[in-house]
Amino acid sequence: MQTVNVYRGLLNAVKKHIGNDGSKVHFRDFVAQEFRKNKSIVDPAAIQQKIQLASDYTFLLNSVHHHKDLLFSYNIAVDRSDEMRRTLKKSAASVGLQLPEPYQP
């Protein structure tokens, strides 16, 4: 059961932070291939080590992107309009609304 949760978490992190388009599908394929390849390992210690490695990599992916978002949010010299637009879209989406596109003359 732990393996399934780690596998799902890693796939979600890869999809969210790396992407799911055609040029980046090899990351997801590599993760799936590694988990399938490890089914043949019979040593429980080796399996636990691989699961821990996958869990750590998931944590690393999530942490790096969270850290990047924090750095962008603290940097006052950077144009923050894109960040504010993204935050407003997330807030509106959480209550089931969509923001209209701004008028471009």
Side-chain angles (χ1 to χ4, degrees), residues 6-26:
V6 170
Y7 179 63
R8 284 182 184 161
L10 184 55
L11 283 180
N12 285 337
V14 167
K15 180 181 174 184
K16 181 178 179 182
H17 300 301
I18 294 177
N20 211 15
D21 58 349
S23 65
K24 299 176 183 175
V25 75
H26 62 280

Side-chain angles (χ1 to χ4, degrees), residues 37-49:
K37 183 172 71 174
N38 290 332
K39 283 184 178 180
S40 62
I41 298 175
V42 291
D43 183 23
I47 291 173
Q48 277 303 110
Q49 185 179 13

